[in-house]
C-alpha cells in the first residue's frame, strides 16, 4: 500500500483513518453470511464491544456514528464502517457463515438492548 | 497500535505531514511571495463552493498560468479550460478564507483522484495552498468582505437513491405524467394530492392584495406565493399555564419540565414585492420540532390561502418583529413595485424598510399553507449571516439581529427554581474561536441572556444540562455589545444547511477553553479564572448539608412520621443515603488583583485541591486554620457574583465548566 494512499485516506476521513487502519491491522472485521445471500458486517471495537455495520446501506450501531455522522453531520462515517470498506478492499475480512435465524438475531440484537 | 501495521505507518506519515504543514503556514504568513513557477503547482480559480461534512468542496477551473499580471477584469473564465473539484480540509479552508472568483495556488504534494463514474477529477491533500491576491484590488476586497455573502450548501443524498427506489418508480403506471417524479412511491403520493381543487386556482404574488381583498368574491380560493425567510416559535398568547401541578414544584437542578410549554409555530414570509408578514400556525405539540421545521422550510416557497388577519402592526408597536425584518432588508434580489407593469422591476437600493406588517393566522381546522419542500431554495431567501463573537461584540447599534455558533461553557438560572418553565430566564456563558484566539481587549467568554420570551425546544434544554454543547444562535438581539435571546431567536443544535458565513467562524475551538484571569476589569455576572494563595477562611460560612441522591434537592426535611428519617419533597420519597455537600468560603490573595479582597465559595465536589483543606476544617471541632494558610490555589474557574469598591471586594463562586 503506497504512502500516498494512506495520506489520502487521512485527508478525506480525518480522525477516523488511523483507528480504522488499526482495526484492519488487527483483523477485526468479519463478514457474516447467511445461505440466502444476506450479509452483515461485525466489527470488534477497541473497547471489546461488537458493532454491526449494514451492507445494504451506510449504517453502524456504534454511538459515534449516531452522534458524529447522523446528528452532527461532522463526519462521513465512523471508524468501523471505514474498517469494513478497507478490509474488503485488501481482502482482510474474516468470514463467518451463519444460519438465517442467527443473522436475523444479529440484526435485531440492537433493538433488544434498547427495550 | 500494531507494530509494522498500516495504522502505525499512517501515524508516522501524518506526523511528518503535520510538521510540513505548519512550516508551510508559517512561511505563508511571513513571506507573501512564494514562487509559483515551481513544477507541480496547480493553479485554479474557484467558481463555486460548498461544504460537505467539514470538507470544503470547491468547483474550480484550472488555469494555465497565474493571472498575477492580469487585473481582475481580464481573468475571464474561458470555456475550454478543464474543471476540477478541489477539496480543502477544514483547517486549510479556514486559513484560506476563499470565495468564488479567488485564484488559489496549490503546491505539491497534492493528489488527483479519478472516480469511475464521474468526469470531474478530484484534487485532494491540498494542505499547501495559497490564495493569490490580484494586484490592485486586495484592499477593496477586504472592505467588501463583510458584505459578500458566501453560501455553504450541503448536498443531501436521498434514501430513495441509496435503496434504488428510482428503478421501482419507473415500473409503476404513470398516473400524472406532467408531474416530474424524482424518486419513489412516497413522493408520488404527494404529487397526486396536488390535484386538489385549491391547486387549480391562480396564484397571486402580493400579500397586500390578498389582505386588501379580504371578503371579496373569490377571496377564499386565491392563493399567495411567498417565500419563508424565518421559522421560529412564539409563546402562545392565550395565557401562560402554570406548570406547578399539585404540590410538586419543579426539580431544583433541572430545567426540564414534563409538561411542554404552549408554543405556536410561526413563519416570517416575504412576497415578490418585498412585503413581510408573520404567519402564526398551529401550536406545536412539543417545541422540539422547531429544528426540523427550520431545516425543511426556511428558504422555500409556500402558498398561503384564506388567512385570517390577526393584526396590522407597525414599527413602533413591535420592535422585536421589526428588528428581525430590518436584518432581512434590503432584499437580495430586486423586488416588484406596486403600480408598475409586470416587467419593470426596481432596484432595491432606494426602497425604505417596511413600516408595517400584517400578522396572519390560519383559519381553524383547515390547513392553508402548502410548503414546497422539494423545490430549490428561493433567490429571495436571506440566510442568517453568521459572525464571530468578536465582531458581534463590536456592534454599536441598538436592536440588531445577529447569528453565531458558540460553545456553551456555563449555564445559570437567573430566576428562582419555583418560577414556571415558560417564565424562566437563563444566562449562558459562551465562547467561540474568535474569542479564544487571544486578543487583549476582547473577553474570552461572553454572557448571553436568554429571556423568557425566547422559546427553547426540549432538545436544547436537555442538551444544555448534559455536556458542553456548540449551539447555533439564530437571530439573537445585540445591543451595544450585549447579546440577548428574545422572541424570534431560535437556538439550534446543528448549523443550518444554508448560511452565509466566514469559514473560520464555524470552526472548533483551537484548544482547551481558557477564561480571562480575574483583574480590575472583571465585572459582576461574568466568568473568569482565578489563582492565588489562601490568606483566610470564613469560618462562619463553612457548613455541610445533606442532599437527595436522586434529584439533588438541597432542602431536605425530617420525615413527619418518623423523625429519624430524612424526606425529599421533590421526589416525595425518603432519602436513605443522602449525598453530603460541603461549602466553604476562602479568602485569596491574587497577584492579578492586588488591592482587593477576593472571596471564593468553593464546593466539595469540585475543588479536589482544596478538598483536603475542607475536610480538615469541617470534620472535627478542632482544626488548625494556620496550616491551610499560604496554600496555593491553582487556576479555578469561577462565576463572579459581585464586584464592589470601597471596600474593594470581589465575591466569586467556583463553577464547573460544561
Amino acid at each position: 500500500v503506497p504512502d500516498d494512499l494512506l495520506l489520502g485516506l487521512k485527508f478525506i476521513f480525518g480522525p477516523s483513518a488511523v483507528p480504522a487502519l488499526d482495526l484492519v491491522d488487527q483483523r477485526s472485521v468479519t463478514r457474516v453470511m447467511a445461505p440466502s445471500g444476506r450479509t452483515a458486517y461485525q466489527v470488534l471495537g477497541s473497547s471489546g464491544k461488537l458493532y454491526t455495520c449494514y451492507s445494504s446501506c451506510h449504517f453502524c450501531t456504534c454511538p459515534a456514528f449516531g452522534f458524529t455522522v447522523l446528528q452532527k453531520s461532522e463526519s462521513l462515517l465512523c471508524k468501523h464502517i471505514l474498517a469494513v470498506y478497507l478490509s474488503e478492499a485488501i481482502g482482510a475480512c474474516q468470514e463467518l457463515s451463519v444460519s438465517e435465524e442467527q443473522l436475523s438475531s444479529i440484526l435485531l440484537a440492537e433493538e433488544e438492548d434498547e427495550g | 497500535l500494531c507494530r509494522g501495521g498500516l495504522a502505525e505507518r499512517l501515524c508516522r506519515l501524518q506526523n511528518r505531514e503535520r510538521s510540513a504543514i505548519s512550516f508551510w503556514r508559517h512561511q505563508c504568513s511571513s513571506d507573501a511571495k512564494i514562487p509559483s513557477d515551481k513544477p507541480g503547482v496547480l493553479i485554479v480559480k474557484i467558481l463555486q463552493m460548498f461544504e460537505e461534512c467539514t470538507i470544503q468542496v470547491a468547483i474550480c477551473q484550472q488555469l494555465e498560468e497565474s493571472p498575477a499580471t492580469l487585473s481582475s477584469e481580464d481573468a475571464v473564465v474561458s470555456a475550454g479550460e478543464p474543471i476540477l473539484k478541489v477539496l480543502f480540509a477544514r483547517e486549510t479552508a479556514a486559513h484560506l478564507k476563499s470565495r468564488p472568483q479567488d485564484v488559489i495556488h496549490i503546491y505539491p504534494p497534492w493528489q488527483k483522484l479519478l472516480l469511475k463514474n464521474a468526469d470531474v477529477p478530484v484534487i485532494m491533500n491540498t494542505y499547501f495552498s495559497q490564495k493569490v491576491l490580484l494586484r490592485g484590488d486586495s484592499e477593496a476586497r477586504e472592505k467588501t468582505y463583510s458584505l459578500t455573502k458566501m453560501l455553504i450548501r450541503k448536498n443531501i443524498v436521498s434514501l430513495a437513491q441509496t435503496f434504488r427506489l428510482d428503478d421501482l418508480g419507473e415500473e409503476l403506471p404513470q398516473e400524472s405524467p406532467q408531474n416530474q417524479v424524482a424518486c419513489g412511491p412516497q413522493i408520488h403520493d404527494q404529487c397526486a394530492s396536488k390535484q386538489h381543487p385549491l391547486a387549480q386556482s391562480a396564484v397571486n404574488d402580493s400579500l397586500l392584495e390578498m389582505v386588501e381583498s379580504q371578503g371579496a368574491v373569490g377571496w377564499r380560493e386565491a392563493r399567495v406565493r411567498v417565500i419563508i425567510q424565518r421559522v421560529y416559535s412564539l409563546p402562545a398568547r392565550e395565557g401562560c399555564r402554570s406548570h406547578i401541578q399539585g404540590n410538586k414544584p419543579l426539580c431544583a437542578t433541572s430545567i426540564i419540565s414534563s409538561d411542554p410549554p404552549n408554543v405556536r409555530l410561526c413563519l416570517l414570509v416575504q412576497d415578490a414585492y418585498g412585503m413581510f408578514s408573520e404567519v402564526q400556525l398551529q401550536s406545536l405539540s412539543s417545541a422540539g420540532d422547531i429544528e426540523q421545521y427550520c431545516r425543511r422550510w426556511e428558504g422555500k416557497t409556500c402558498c398561503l390561502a384564506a388567512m385570517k388577519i390577526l393584526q396590522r402592526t407597525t414599527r413602533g408597536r413591535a420592535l422585536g418583529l421589526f428588528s428581525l425584518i430590518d436584518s432581512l432588508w434590503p432584499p437580495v434580489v430586486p423586488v416588484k413595485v406596486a403600480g408598475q407593469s409586470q416587467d419593470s422591476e426596481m432596484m432595491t437600493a432606494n426602497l425604505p424598510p417596511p413600516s408595517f406588517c400584517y400578522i396572519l393566522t390560519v383559519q381553524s381546522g383547515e390547513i392553508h399553507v402548502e410548503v414546497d419542500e422539494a423545490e430549490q431554495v428561493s433567490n429571495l431567501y436571506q440566510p442568517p449571516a453568521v459572525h464571530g463573537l468578536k465582531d458581534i461584540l463590536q456592534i454599536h447599534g441598538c436592536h440588531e439581529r445577529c447569528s453565531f455558533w458558540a460553545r456553551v461553557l456555563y449555564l445559570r438560572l437567573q430566576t428562582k427554581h419555583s418560577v414556571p418553565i415558560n417564565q424562566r430566564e437563563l444566562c449562558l456563558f459562551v465562547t467561540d474561536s474568535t474569542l479564544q484566539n487571544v486578543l487583549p481587549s476582547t473577553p474570552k467568554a461572553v454572557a448571553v441572556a436568554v429571556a423568557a420570551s425566547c422559546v427553547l425546544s426540549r432538545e436544547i434544554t436537555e442538551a444544555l444540562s448534559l455536556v458542553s454543547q456548540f449551539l447555533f444562535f439564530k437571530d439573537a438581539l445585540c445591543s451595544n455589545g450585549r447579546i440577548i435571546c428574545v422572541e424570534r431567536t431560535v437556538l439550534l443544535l446543528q448549523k443550518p444547511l444554508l448560511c452565509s458565513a466566514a469559514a473560520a467562524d464555524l470552526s472548533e475551538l483551537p484548544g482547551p477553553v481558557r477564561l480571562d484571569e480575574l483583574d480590575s476589569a472583571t465585572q459582576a455576572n461574568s466568568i473568569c479564572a482565578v489563582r492565588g494563595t489562601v490568606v483566610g477562611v470564613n469560618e462562619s460560612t463553612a457548613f455541610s448539608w445533606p442532599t437527595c441522591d436522586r434529584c439533588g434537592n438541597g432542602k431536605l426535611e425530617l420525615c413527619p412520621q418518623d423523625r429519624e428519617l430524612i424526606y425529599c419533597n421533590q421526589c416525595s420519597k425518603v432519602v436513605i443515603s443522602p449525598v453530603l455537600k460541603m461549602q466553604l468560603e476562602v479568602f485569596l490573595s491574587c497577584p492579578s488583583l492586588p488591592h482587593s479582597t477576593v472571596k471564593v465559595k468553593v464546593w466539595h465536589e469540585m475543588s479536589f485541591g482544596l478538598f483536603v483543606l475542607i475536610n480538615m476544617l469541617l470534620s472535627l471541632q478542632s482544626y488548625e486554620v494556620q496550616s491551610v494558610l499560604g496554600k496555593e490555589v491553582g487556576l479555578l474557574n469561577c462565576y463572579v457574583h459581585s464586584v464592589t469598591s470601597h471596600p474593594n471586594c470581589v465575591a466569586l463562586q467556583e463553577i464547573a465548566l460544561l
Side-chain angles (χ1 to χ4, degrees):
Chain A
V1 179
D3 287 352
D4 279 354
L5 220 51
L6 293 177
L7 286 174
L9 279 179
K10 176 70 196 172
F11 178 79
I12 299 279
F13 297 112
S16 303
V18 171
L21 284 171
D22 189 39
L23 289 173
V24 173
D25 287 338
Q26 293 181 35
R27 295 289 184 275
S28 311
V29 178
T30 310
R31 181 171 57 230
V32 182
M33 299 172 296
S36 61
R38 208 157 47 140
T39 59
Y41 291 95
Q42 288 206 305
V43 184
L44 187 65
S46 38
S47 54
K49 225 174 156 232
L50 209 58
Y51 296 110
T52 308
C53 297
Y54 294 174
S55 45
S56 57
C57 69
H58 194 75
F59 183 78
C60 175
T61 55
C62 73
F65 180 82
F67 191 68
T68 326
V69 179
L70 293 181
Q71 188 173 329
K72 286 195 138 188
S73 291
E74 263 175 15
S75 186
L76 292 164
L77 37 62
C78 65
K79 62 186 182 191
H80 308 110
I81 298 181
L82 184 54
V84 166
Y85 279 114
L86 294 174
S87 299
E88 281 287 2
I90 67 174
C93 270
Q94 313 236 31
E95 293 201 357
L96 182 66
S97 291
V98 296
S99 69
E100 291 298 336
E101 292 80 19
Q102 282 172 316
L103 187 59
S104 300
S105 69
I106 289 174
L107 293 172
L108 287 174
E110 320 314 321
E111 289 180 34
E112 282 171 27
D113 288 336
E114 293 168 58
Chain B
L1 295 183
C2 282
R3 291 192 142 260
L6 292 170
E8 196 193 27
R9 259 181 71 193
L10 178 54
C11 262
R12 270 187 276 124
L13 290 169
Q14 189 194 315
N15 288 335
R16 250 186 273 158
E17 194 180 56
R18 231 185 281 158
S19 15
I21 295 171
S22 47
F23 178 71
W24 165 265
R25 295 254 166 89
H26 179 75
Q27 218 187 357
C28 269
S29 53
S30 60
D31 171 10
K33 282 190 169 49
I34 300 178
S36 63
D37 49 355
K38 272 168 50 168
V41 180
L42 200 57
I43 304 171
V44 296
K45 183 179 178 133
I46 300 182
L47 303 175
Q48 208 189 25
M49 294 165 73
F50 52 92
E51 188 188 295
E52 189 80 58
C53 283
T54 75
I55 292 200
Q56 195 179 65
V57 182
I59 312 285
C60 302
Q61 195 170 48
Q62 185 174 1
L63 301 177
E64 282 295 309
E65 55 175 43
S66 176
T69 51
L70 310 166
S71 68
S72 52
E73 292 90 47
D74 293 356
V76 175
V77 166
S78 53
E81 302 284 357
I83 298 280
L84 301 170
K85 205 181 265 189
V86 182
L87 304 181
F88 293 106
R90 187 165 47 181
E91 297 79 24
T92 321
H95 175 75
L96 284 178
K97 292 200 204 359
S98 42
R99 287 168 290 156
Q101 302 306 311
D102 277 348
V103 174
I104 310 280
H105 283 189
I106 306 174
Y107 292 81
W110 45 266
Q111 292 190 38
K112 191 176 200 168
L113 188 65
L114 293 161
L115 298 169
K116 272 191 220 157
N117 51 359
D119 316 319
V120 179
V122 176
I123 308 288
M124 13 183 276
N125 290 66
T126 51
Y127 301 109
F128 309 98
S129 301
Q130 195 186 27
K131 186 160 64 174
V132 174
L133 289 175
L134 295 174
R135 187 187 52 167
D137 61 355
S138 55
E139 275 175 39
R141 274 227 176 148
E142 292 310 306
K143 284 194 192 123
T144 58
Y145 184 52
S146 54
L147 300 176
T148 311
K149 291 179 202 261
M150 183 183 79
L151 291 180
I152 302 175
R153 175 169 41 98
K154 292 185 184 178
N155 284 334
I156 303 165
V157 178
S158 84
L159 277 178
Q161 199 178 331
T162 311
F163 288 108
R164 288 181 269 279
L165 289 177
D166 314 11
D167 310 334
L168 286 177
E170 283 163 9
E171 290 162 13
L172 290 173
Q174 292 282 343
E175 286 156 23
S176 44
Q178 64 268 27
N179 287 342
Q180 300 267 326
V181 179
C183 46
Q186 296 88 347
I187 308 293
H188 203 82
D189 290 336
Q190 280 188 23
C191 290
S193 73
K194 281 196 177 160
Q195 305 303 321
H196 189 270
L198 206 58
Q200 300 308 319
S201 60
V203 178
N204 199 352
D205 55 6
S206 166
L207 277 169
L208 197 56
E209 236 178 72
M210 183 197 79
V211 161
E212 288 176 345
S213 64
Q214 199 179 34
V217 170
W219 165 77
R220 279 193 82 81
E221 282 75 42
R223 290 152 75 224
V224 183
R225 185 187 297 118
V226 291
I227 77 127
I228 300 176
Q229 288 284 9
R230 292 287 185 269
V231 178
Y232 45 82
S233 46
L234 290 179
R237 293 239 206 106
E238 300 85 292
C240 304
R241 288 203 204 103
S242 165
H243 291 275
I244 300 180
Q245 302 190 343
N247 296 326
K248 210 161 60 148
L250 289 175
C251 180
T253 54
S254 81
I255 51 176
I256 305 167
S257 163
S258 56
D259 199 12
N262 214 6
V263 294
R264 309 194 79 183
L265 182 66
C266 297
L267 313 174
L268 184 67
V269 300
Q270 190 178 24
D271 67 7
Y273 290 82
M275 187 167 128
F276 288 94
S277 172
E278 185 174 84
V279 182
Q280 297 191 355
L281 300 178
Q282 72 275 19
S283 291
L284 284 177
S285 56
S286 83
D289 298 338
I290 188 74
E291 191 148 352
Q292 264 216 49
Y293 282 111
C294 283
R295 269 183 187 268
R296 281 161 53 193
W297 285 5
E298 275 199 5
K300 304 274 164 64
T301 317
C302 98
C303 286
L304 307 173
M307 298 272 115
K308 190 167 87 167
I309 301 174
L310 265 187
Q311 200 188 5
R312 179 189 187 274
T313 189
T314 52
R315 187 172 282 275
R317 281 194 275 154
L319 286 173
L321 175 59
F322 278 89
S323 67
L324 186 58
I325 291 177
D326 286 344
S327 72
L328 298 167
W329 196 262
V332 284
V333 295
V335 291
K336 298 189 191 164
V337 176
Q340 300 194 345
S341 71
Q342 284 282 35
D343 300 329
S344 68
E345 290 178 354
M346 203 166 96
M347 281 308 292
T348 60
N350 300 327
L351 286 177
S355 57
F356 67 91
C357 177
Y358 281 96
I359 301 188
L360 311 171
T361 185
V362 285
Q363 305 279 11
S364 57
E366 298 168 44
I367 300 172
H368 284 295
V369 175
E370 290 166 24
V371 182
D372 206 346
E373 289 183 31
E375 270 272 305
Q376 290 274 16
V377 164
S378 162
N379 288 336
L380 190 54
Y381 175 55
Q382 285 195 50
V386 180
H387 295 286
L389 283 171
K390 185 167 78 116
D391 298 325
I392 291 177
L393 291 177
Q394 288 167 1
I395 293 178
H396 290 297
C398 283
H399 302 302
E400 288 209 17
R401 293 275 178 172
C402 58
S403 303
F404 54 93
W405 171 251
R407 174 158 151 198
V408 179
L409 300 175
Y410 178 60
L411 183 155
R412 200 175 170 80
L413 203 56
Q414 302 286 64
T415 47
K416 287 204 167 58
H417 290 298
S418 52
V419 168
I421 200 155
N422 52 4
Q423 288 169 33
R424 53 88 201 104
E425 283 177 9
L426 303 174
C427 193
L428 299 175
F429 290 90
V430 303
T431 187
D432 72 354
S433 51
T434 60
L435 292 186
Q436 286 287 307
N437 287 325
V438 171
L439 270 182
S441 53
T442 50
K444 295 218 181 58
V446 72
V448 175
V450 180
S453 54
C454 176
V455 177
L456 298 182
S457 68
R458 181 201 292 274
E459 285 175 331
I460 296 274
T461 43
E462 278 174 11
L464 281 178
S465 16
L466 293 172
V467 293
S468 175
Q469 291 285 340
F470 263 93
L471 289 185
F472 186 71
F473 293 77
K474 184 169 70 149
D475 300 320
L477 207 59
C478 180
S479 228
N480 288 324
R482 289 170 51 83
I483 307 175
I484 3 170
C485 296
V486 289
E487 271 188 357
R488 299 183 182 84
T489 305
V490 184
L491 269 60
L492 302 165
L493 284 173
Q494 296 183 60
K495 297 170 224 170
L497 289 175
L498 268 182
C499 59
S500 56
D505 301 325
L506 298 179
S507 59
E508 298 286 330
L509 296 182
V513 172
R514 289 160 305 169
L515 295 181
D516 290 314
E517 215 169 310
L518 176 70
D519 61 14
S520 45
T522 307
Q523 298 187 331
N525 197 38
S526 65
I527 55 177
C528 66
V530 156
R531 78 173 101 223
T533 345
V534 179
V535 295
V537 168
N538 193 347
E539 299 166 46
S540 57
T541 58
F543 62 93
S544 59
W545 70 102
T547 59
C548 171
D549 53 342
R550 268 179 302 265
C551 67
N553 178 18
K555 295 188 173 62
L556 301 180
E557 296 167 356
L558 289 175
C559 222
Q561 292 87 19
D562 181 351
R563 293 189 84 78
E564 298 268 306
L565 300 173
I566 317 177
Y567 185 80
C568 173
N569 272 334
Q570 292 176 16
C571 300
S572 305
K573 286 199 190 125
V574 170
V575 182
I576 302 166
S577 44
V579 173
L580 200 66
K581 284 212 171 139
M582 291 186 259
Q583 179 189 288
L584 182 68
E585 225 169 46
V586 294
F587 292 98
L588 294 182
S589 157
C590 299
S592 53
L593 200 59
H595 302 297
S596 288
T597 323
V598 179
K599 206 167 52 166
V600 185
K601 213 185 272 186
V602 293
W603 308 88
H604 160 216
E605 271 137 21
M606 288 187 273
S607 275
F608 286 109
L610 285 176
F611 172 51
V612 169
L613 172 81
I614 296 171
N615 228 357
M616 271 165 48
L617 294 175
L618 298 179
S619 56
L620 299 166
Q621 299 267 324
S622 58
Y623 51 81
E624 282 296 316
V625 174
Q626 301 299 325
S627 54
V628 305
L629 295 181
K631 199 166 166 75
E632 286 272 329
V633 170
L635 222 46
L636 292 177
N637 290 322
C638 294
Y639 168 76
V640 183
H641 270 289
S642 64
V643 176
T644 52
S645 47
H646 314 300
N648 285 342
C649 181
V650 181
L652 306 169
Q653 172 187 326
E654 191 187 3
I655 60 174
L657 293 185
L658 287 173

